[in-house]
Amino acid sequence: MHFYYIHIIHLCITSLFFQVCIFIVYKEMINVPLSMTCCVVVFPSQALDDVLYTNKNFVACAPTGSGKTVLFELAIVQLLIEASDAWHNVRAVYMAPIKALCSQRFENWKQKFGPLGLNCKELTGDTEIDDIFEIQDAHLIFTTPEKWDSMTRRWKDNRLLPSVSLFLIDEIHVVKDKTRGATLEVVVSRMKTMHSYQLAVNPKSKASTRFVAVSATIPNIQDVSEWLSDESGPATCLEMDETHRPVKLRKVVLGFPCGSNQNEFKFDLSLNYKMANVIQTYSDQKPTLVFCSTRKGVQQSASVLAKDARFIMSLDHKQRLMKYANSLLDANLRDLFICGIGYHHAGMDVSDRKLIEEAFTVGDLPVLFTTSTLAMGVNLPAHLVVIKSTLHYVGGACEEYSEADLLQMIGRAGRPQFDTTATAVIMTRSQTKDKYTHFLSGIDSIESSLHTNLVEHLNAEIVLHTISDVNMALDWIRSTFLCIRALKNPKHYGFSPELDKCGIETKLQELCLKNLNSLASFNLITMDEDINIKPTETGKLMARYCVAFDTVKQFSMVTGTETLPELIEMISKGKEFSPSQKISIFLIQAQLGCIPIQEFGLIQDTGKIFRNGNRVSRCMLLTCLFLSSNFSARLNSLTLAKCFRAKLWENSPYISRQVERIGFTLATAMVNAGLTTFSKIEQTSPRELEIIVNRHPPFGNQIKEAVSKLPKCEVTLEQIPRYSLSTAEISVTVNLMNFKELASKQTAPDHHYITLIIGDCDNNVVFQQKILNTLLSKSGSWSKRIEVTRAHKGEELSIHLISSEYVGLDVQQKYRVYYSGVKRFGAESCIRENPTWRVQRIYTTEKTQDTTLTAPAPSNRVSLIGKIGVRKRSTNQSNFTSYLNNLKIRNEKLCETPVKRLKMRMNDGTAAVSMQQFSYKPKDTLPAAKKYMGFLLATEVNLLMLMKLTLLRLYYFDIHDVDIHSSGLREVSVTLKVRMKSRS
């Protein structure tokens, strides 16, 4: 049936009847009644031919409400006509500057194209790894430039993205926006580069990516057409003026005086008292939509208007409003509604919002005040649109609305079902009236903003290998919209207007090289003498997590001595945090410290800050992993990343907030009751929990079960008895203590993991390992042997188990490692070099010192001891040296020593010696703070020298216990328990 309708389209003749027939048959094909269509726009015949019958790139400039969306839909139909294999390989991307537009188009096209079997997927928000897999089966993808940028930065690792055959760009004029314009420009250029890359790899490939772009205002549409050119030439253009708008729009800019002593807040309040006159003048007694910058401003403006204005309404109209008002939950809104005034924002109850939308859509509500951010995603057309002040609050600071935001709000003016004309009024300061009048006339050319963010995007292209040498970098910049506009308006980009084409290209090359050198100076890329460019691991992280260059530079300043608040202050300087630095720090600390934030705008800012904070802190963690072995820096980075994800300080008592169904109020009640750890919550009975949080059963059982199903780990360390001077071997085991309880159900998500990090006294990372929760869930434990290099400042290790998601599950402990080398006796002791032996004091009490004497390693082994031995007190150094020499002389004169007698008996076959009597009796391993009896190895070659050393008891030690163990005729271990003599 569907292919039958498509065949009808092909048979139609090129005429006015053809255009209407296409639209009617198309609407019938996708099962949408004509009554649902707002308007039917008759485009020129040639334009429809270009969209529907060719694969050429297409750019359209048409007024808001003129039906530009139909061009997108016809392009999708053309893609379906050309597709084969039952549309399995059909994939189109719709990109809009804001999420609200993506959501609106997603809902609309899901209804239209869903019955055809096309799968629609909305891809917005922050980057998640799973998103790549979620869109594998999608035919229509709805996304924003920022999201698609993060996706396409890994396009060579994914076969999905090159399969995009149609790329639809809504509001392409946003390319001139200072905040997101550069991202849009780079994304489009990257998709073009991807197409060129496919052709280079496979010249016979028929794969191509078609671009269709639309906007309401593109004065220099030819420049955009040149930018979207392909092998066949520039993109086809369609330019339509305001005369083609189905509802004629009148645009008015009103300027009001703003004194030097009047701040933005006072000016915004003053506009409330001018609103009644504006509505009376321009509304024609038809529905009016007023945009305000804040939720509080919405309610204030509505209250002032209710006092100043009276609307003429029939008795039947008043009764309908009364009926609506009786269903509202908000008492203040109920009183205003009876007067014909309402407000709409995200802080309201969902039922109230839907009722207001219904009343305004059918025309029963004369005036509706709403927030500028929210209303962009709600389709509420009105006869009159008023923008109250062109300033809005972003993170506590006032900023001008972007042109994209203004166009979206103005686009709400005009109801095709009811009106033939509409009005949009902008209320602004007298100083900015000319600016907005100029803007509404649409005579400003679209310029590029890529030059302001060139360094980040250059790095991304290098990571993608789109750029692999300096020449390719220069070729890439020539393919951008920046190059096209710089040649026509060099002054805008800081170039002299007198420069010719070669001069401007030279300036662009210098700009490119300057940014490449900046990247190389911070080790984000490497450049060799042959002008080849390669990304470093840090550069790859910067591109993967979409982190600004200035933010990455802050990472290089991390020394490891910073506290968590200091790290937060450091990263908050980055451009990822839109509010000012002080505002960002306050919001972060308020959220982590469980301080409630009441203002709606600040709540939105906090959400954005933490979304970006997750990304930036993760990048900082991995950057420290590659750049530094500083234990404190890595540990703080791990903790900070976890805090951003959990939205709590690492030592916060509000750990219960991490449990589902527990918010700030219930968490506060649990803290007041002393339930500040997960173990305390588990030890509390369910009924007591319900009393504390004032909830009915089985709420307590659910909370207790959720806590008990969290992964609880422990770590144990055991030293392998292979001692050396500079290294030791440690066996590390991580056990999941509640392994059996988690077999059926777990509270933690599947992507949860723990990080084991071990550091020494020199602040170096000894070992770091990421252990997945899924791995522990299978076996219940994880173990590994690691080699520890001896630190200069001590033998103690710091062991940390850090949860990736939860605060309150971390494990911290200390462990002392033992080496066979020398250790200081005390403040008065020192060490002297000796090629044969060493003394190590393990533990000291007031009277006794347990000491290990270590002989040199056997000749058939690699010696790990080296030239280290006992160094006598400096006051008697020469006497002690001569004493050792005397020992050697005496040994040469002794004809038979105990060791020699032992050797003779061992070699005498007639006198068998039972070695069991000399066997070593192993004792239980004692903690680091306990006494330790070291053992040492000797061989037939050096056993004699070992026993010579026992003669030191004449000077330093009393030996009161000897334990000898032999594992064969070639190896004997001797354990000595000695007590140091007291000497002056």
Side-chain angles (χ1 to χ4, degrees):
M1 180 66 70
H2 302 319
F3 289 98
Y4 172 75
Y5 287 121
I6 294 175
H7 183 63
I8 292 178
I9 295 177
H10 280 285
L11 295 178
C12 294
I13 61 174
T14 305
S15 63
L16 177 62
F17 170 75
F18 161 76
Q19 301 166 29
V20 177
C21 184
I22 284 181
F23 191 75
I24 294 176
V25 173
Y26 166 64
K27 298 302 287 187
E28 186 177 0
M29 178 186 70
I30 56 179
N31 243 352
V32 178
L34 280 174
S35 59
M36 293 183 63
T37 307
C38 294
C39 60
V40 177
V41 180
V42 181
F43 290 107
S45 301
Q46 185 60 44
L48 291 176
D49 288 343
D50 292 333
V51 175
L52 190 60
Y53 288 120
T54 72
N55 200 32
K56 294 181 180 178
N57 294 342
F58 192 87
V59 182
C61 177
T64 302
S66 61
K68 296 186 294 296
T69 305
V70 175
L71 296 175
F72 285 155
E73 294 170 344
L74 290 178
I76 296 174
V77 172
Q78 189 275 338
L79 179 63
L80 299 180
I81 294 173
E82 299 292 334
S84 58
D85 299 332
W87 302 344
H88 289 313
N89 295 324
V90 170
R91 185 161 287 109
V93 173
Y94 169 85
M95 189 169 68
I98 57 177
K99 181 180 176 180
L101 283 177
C102 294
S103 300
Q104 185 178 345
R105 190 63 52 230
F106 168 74
E107 295 295 335
N108 184 258
W109 284 359
K110 184 178 181 181
Q111 182 185 9
K112 289 182 178 180
F113 292 104
L116 290 179
L118 297 184
N119 184 19
C120 300
K121 198 72 177 180
E122 186 177 1
L123 190 64
T124 55
D126 281 354
T127 304
E128 296 291 343
I129 297 177
D130 295 339
D131 288 341
I132 296 177
F133 304 100
E134 290 177 3
I135 63 175
Q136 283 183 341
D137 300 326
H139 300 97
L140 299 179
I141 302 170
F142 304 82
T143 187
T144 59
E146 292 77 14
K147 184 62 177 182
W148 195 249
D149 178 33
S150 64
M151 293 285 293
T152 53
R153 290 188 181 200
R154 301 190 300 272
W155 65 268
K156 282 192 177 180
D157 299 327
N158 188 292
R159 298 181 180 179
L160 175 69
L161 301 180
S163 66
V164 174
S165 303
L166 179 62
F167 205 82
L168 309 172
I169 310 170
D170 205 350
E171 310 293 351
I172 195 172
H173 65 272
V174 176
V175 73
K176 66 179 178 180
D177 190 86
K178 293 181 180 179
T179 56
R180 52 184 55 178
T183 304
L184 172 59
E185 180 175 348
V186 168
V187 162
V188 174
S189 297
R190 189 177 301 152
M191 296 299 293
K192 292 172 60 181
T193 305
M194 181 177 62
H195 171 57
S196 302
Y197 175 82
Q198 290 177 281
L199 292 179
V201 174
N202 185 11
K204 297 182 180 180
S205 175
K206 296 182 180 180
S208 62
T209 302
R210 184 188 190 189
F211 293 90
V212 177
V214 301
S215 176
T217 53
I218 314 179
N220 51 332
I221 191 173
Q222 296 299 329
D223 294 334
V224 178
S225 172
E226 183 180 351
W227 177 40
L228 297 181
S229 61
D230 55 15
E231 297 80 7
S232 62
T236 304
C237 296
L238 171 63
E239 192 169 7
M240 301 170 62
D241 56 26
E242 288 288 335
T243 60
H244 294 84
R245 199 179 196 276
V247 178
K248 307 305 178 185
L249 181 62
R250 178 188 178 190
K251 302 173 185 177
V252 180
V253 179
L254 300 178
F256 298 93
C258 178
S260 57
N261 59 344
Q262 190 177 26
N263 57 28
E264 293 82 0
F265 177 73
K266 291 183 178 180
F267 176 73
D268 187 81
L269 286 178
S270 67
L271 296 182
N272 292 336
Y273 300 94
K274 300 175 173 62
M275 189 61 62
N277 187 39
V278 172
I279 293 176
Q280 183 179 3
T281 304
Y282 298 102
S283 69
D284 296 331
Q285 299 298 318
K286 295 179 179 180
T288 299
L289 186 63
V290 182
F291 289 103
C292 304
S293 59
T294 65
R295 181 178 66 177
K296 187 175 182 180
V298 164
Q299 297 176 340
Q300 287 179 340
S301 299
S303 300
V304 173
L305 183 64
K307 298 176 182 178
D308 294 348
R310 293 294 181 267
F311 300 101
I312 302 175
M313 296 180 288
S314 63
L315 180 61
D316 183 55
H317 190 177
K318 291 181 180 180
Q319 290 177 346
R320 291 198 302 272
L321 289 176
M322 185 66 71
K323 184 178 180 180
Y324 282 122
N326 292 334
S327 302
L328 293 172
L329 301 178
D330 189 336
N332 295 330
L333 180 60
R334 192 182 304 124
D335 296 336
L336 294 173
F337 214 87
I338 298 175
C339 301
I341 301 170
Y343 54 78
H344 184 287
H345 56 72
M348 299 168 52
D349 187 85
V350 176
S351 60
D352 283 0
R353 291 206 307 264
K354 290 187 176 181
L355 190 145
I356 289 172
E357 291 171 11
E358 177 187 349
F360 188 78
T361 302
V362 299
D364 285 340
L365 185 62
V367 180
L368 177 62
F369 290 85
T370 184
T371 52
S372 54
T373 53
L374 183 67
M376 292 182 189
V378 181
N379 189 14
L380 297 175
H383 175 79
L384 170 64
V385 166
V386 180
I387 301 175
K388 196 197 80 169
S389 179
T390 53
L391 292 172
H392 67 138
Y393 292 91
V394 179
C398 281
E399 294 181 2
E400 298 280 345
Y401 282 123
S402 66
E403 294 183 1
D405 292 343
L406 289 173
L407 288 175
Q408 285 301 317
M409 290 184 277
I410 291 173
R412 298 300 181 192
R415 302 176 301 162
Q417 308 95 315
F418 308 105
D419 300 329
T420 56
T421 62
T423 304
V425 176
I426 296 179
M427 303 174 68
T428 186
R429 294 161 294 168
S430 302
Q431 298 92 321
T432 56
K433 178 181 178 181
D434 293 341
K435 170 187 174 181
Y436 289 102
T437 302
H438 196 67
F439 159 70
L440 292 178
S441 64
I443 60 177
D444 281 340
S445 296
I446 295 178
E447 300 291 351
S448 171
S449 58
L450 178 59
H451 59 294
T452 61
N453 301 279
L454 184 60
V455 62
E456 289 88 0
H457 296 296
L458 268 176
N459 179 71
E461 303 306 321
I462 293 170
V463 171
L464 286 171
H465 303 292
T466 307
I467 296 174
S468 58
D469 57 52
V470 175
N471 291 330
M472 292 182 67
L474 301 179
D475 290 338
W476 173 81
I477 203 169
R478 292 190 193 101
S479 68
T480 61
F481 189 61
L482 169 64
C483 184
I484 294 173
R485 285 305 304 163
L487 292 173
K488 298 183 179 181
N489 186 14
K491 185 177 180 181
H492 179 79
Y493 303 95
F495 306 146
S496 174
E498 301 176 356
L499 292 175
D500 57 5
K501 180 178 180 180
C502 293
I504 294 174
E505 289 184 348
T506 301
K507 288 292 184 181
L508 287 173
Q509 292 175 8
E510 292 175 356
L511 178 63
C512 183
L513 291 174
K514 177 183 177 182
N515 284 275
L516 289 175
N517 289 328
S518 297
L519 291 171
S521 64
F522 283 90
N523 197 33
L524 297 171
I525 63 171
T526 59
M527 295 190 294
D528 56 23
E529 296 179 356
D530 297 328
I531 66 173
N532 293 319
I533 305 174
K534 293 182 180 180
T536 64
E537 292 299 329
T538 310
K540 292 177 182 178
L541 291 173
M542 173 181 168
R544 178 182 178 184
Y545 290 98
C546 304
V547 178
F549 178 58
D550 291 338
T551 305
V552 175
K553 289 195 294 185
Q554 294 289 329
F555 296 165
S556 63
M557 301 170 61
V558 176
T559 62
T561 60
E562 299 85 0
T563 62
L564 286 184
E566 288 172 345
L567 283 179
I568 290 175
E569 182 178 357
M570 178 180 293
I571 67 173
S572 64
K573 297 176 182 178
K575 62 173 65 175
E576 289 82 4
F577 302 94
S578 54
S580 65
Q581 181 186 356
K582 291 183 179 180
I583 297 288
S584 297
I585 295 174
F586 166 75
L587 294 178
I588 292 173
Q589 294 186 345
Q591 180 69 51
L592 296 178
C594 290
I595 299 175
I597 301 173
Q598 304 294 341
E599 210 281 320
F600 179 71
L602 293 180
I603 293 175
Q604 288 183 316
D605 287 333
T606 304
K608 182 179 180 180
I609 286 173
F610 272 82
R611 287 194 299 270
N612 292 336
N614 285 333
R615 175 167 49 86
V616 174
S617 61
R618 178 66 179 168
C619 182
M620 182 176 69
L621 168 61
L622 296 177
T623 301
C624 291
L625 182 63
F626 286 112
L627 294 183
S628 173
S629 61
N630 188 303
F631 172 68
S632 298
R634 289 198 194 178
L635 180 62
N636 289 340
S637 299
L638 274 168
T639 306
L640 181 63
K642 189 259 297 290
C643 289
F644 266 106
R645 299 190 72 168
K647 297 183 179 180
L648 290 172
W649 289 116
E650 81 283 359
N651 56 354
S652 173
Y654 293 85
I655 50 98
S656 56
R657 283 196 67 177
Q658 303 168 98
V659 181
E660 190 176 0
R661 300 177 63 187
I662 292 186
F664 173 77
T665 303
L666 298 188
T668 302
M670 297 183 78
V671 169
N672 294 336
L675 302 181
T676 56
T677 64
F678 287 124
S679 60
K680 290 181 179 179
I681 296 176
E682 281 192 272
Q683 296 167 6
T684 307
S685 67
R687 305 291 81 82
E688 188 176 352
L689 287 174
E690 290 159 358
I691 293 174
I692 291 172
V693 299
N694 193 24
R695 290 293 186 272
H696 296 291
F699 189 84
N701 299 79
Q702 295 169 350
I703 297 303
K704 193 168 182 178
E705 181 185 10
V707 173
S708 66
K709 297 297 183 180
L710 289 172
K712 300 174 181 63
C713 299
E714 65 175 0
V715 58
T716 58
L717 284 81
E718 181 180 359
Q719 184 166 356
I720 309 300
R722 297 174 183 172
Y723 299 91
S724 98
L725 168 70
S726 57
T727 61
E729 191 173 2
I730 303 293
S731 175
V732 184
T733 303
V734 177
N735 295 312
L736 187 61
M737 294 186 292
N738 54 343
F739 167 66
K740 295 181 179 180
E741 289 82 353
L742 301 184
S744 58
K745 182 182 178 182
Q746 294 190 34
T747 302
D750 293 336
H751 59 264
H752 176 264
Y753 63 89
I754 59 174
T755 300
L756 170 65
I757 181 169
I758 303 175
D760 61 19
C761 291
D762 289 346
N763 200 28
N764 293 321
V765 175
V766 174
F767 181 75
Q768 183 171 343
Q769 178 70 41
K770 175 181 175 181
I771 307 173
L772 296 176
N773 199 45
T774 53
L775 178 64
L776 286 175
S777 300
K778 292 179 181 179
S779 60
S781 65
W782 173 94
S783 62
K784 188 177 181 65
R785 287 190 176 187
I786 63 173
E787 187 178 84
V788 180
T789 302
R790 186 173 189 173
H792 296 289
K793 297 182 179 179
E795 286 75 37
E796 202 171 55
L797 297 180
S798 297
I799 302 96
H800 293 258
L801 278 181
I802 308 294
S803 168
S804 64
E805 304 285 334
Y806 295 96
V807 166
L809 295 180
D810 296 352
V811 177
Q812 304 176 20
Q813 66 184 61
K814 300 286 187 180
Y815 184 83
R816 184 182 293 276
V817 182
Y818 299 108
Y819 301 89
S820 60
V822 177
K823 189 168 182 180
R824 296 176 184 268
F825 282 84
E828 298 180 357
S829 300
C830 54
I831 300 174
R832 185 181 65 85
E833 288 190 359
N834 188 293
T836 56
W837 61 282
R838 59 181 295 184
V839 178
Q840 177 184 8
R841 186 189 68 170
I842 304 302
Y843 182 74
T844 302
T845 62
E846 293 182 1
K847 298 181 179 180
T848 304
Q849 295 177 349
D850 291 344
T851 309
T852 302
L853 301 179
T854 305
S859 58
N860 60 344
R861 298 182 181 180
V862 179
S863 176
L864 298 178
I865 297 180
K867 292 188 174 183
I868 301 178
V870 168
R871 189 163 60 206
K872 193 182 73 68
R873 295 189 183 103
S874 58
T875 56
N876 300 316
Q877 182 173 357
S878 59
N879 295 334
F880 186 61
T881 303
S882 61
Y883 178 75
L884 290 177
N885 294 332
N886 293 333
L887 286 179
K888 295 179 182 179
I889 297 173
R890 292 176 60 186
N891 174 67
E892 293 173 357
K893 294 181 179 180
L894 288 175
C895 59
E896 187 177 18
T897 63
V899 176
K900 288 185 178 180
R901 287 196 298 270
L902 178 62
K903 283 182 57 181
M904 292 171 60
R905 293 188 61 185
M906 293 172 62
N907 293 330
D908 188 1
T910 60
V913 179
S914 175
M915 301 305 296
Q916 288 297 114
Q917 60 182 315
F918 303 110
S919 63
Y920 171 69
K921 307 299 190 296
K923 300 179 181 179
D924 294 336
T925 304
L926 298 178
K930 301 296 183 181
K931 294 184 179 180
Y932 178 81
M933 183 58 62
F935 74 94
L936 28 109
L937 299 177
T939 64
E940 182 180 12
V941 177
N942 55 33
L943 184 58
L944 179 62
M945 182 60 69
L946 173 66
M947 297 307 296
K948 291 179 184 179
L949 303 180
T950 63
L951 296 176
L952 282 174
R953 70 184 185 276
L954 300 175
Y955 186 79
Y956 260 96
F957 305 100
D958 287 330
I959 299 177
H960 54 86
D961 190 10
V962 179
D963 194 1
I964 303 177
H965 169 67
S966 172
S967 58
L969 293 179
R970 305 288 296 179
E971 188 171 286
V972 178
S973 64
V974 180
T975 303
L976 307 177
K977 190 169 185 181
V978 300
R979 177 176 293 109
M980 177 174 286
K981 293 182 178 180
S982 61
R983 291 189 177 271
S984 58

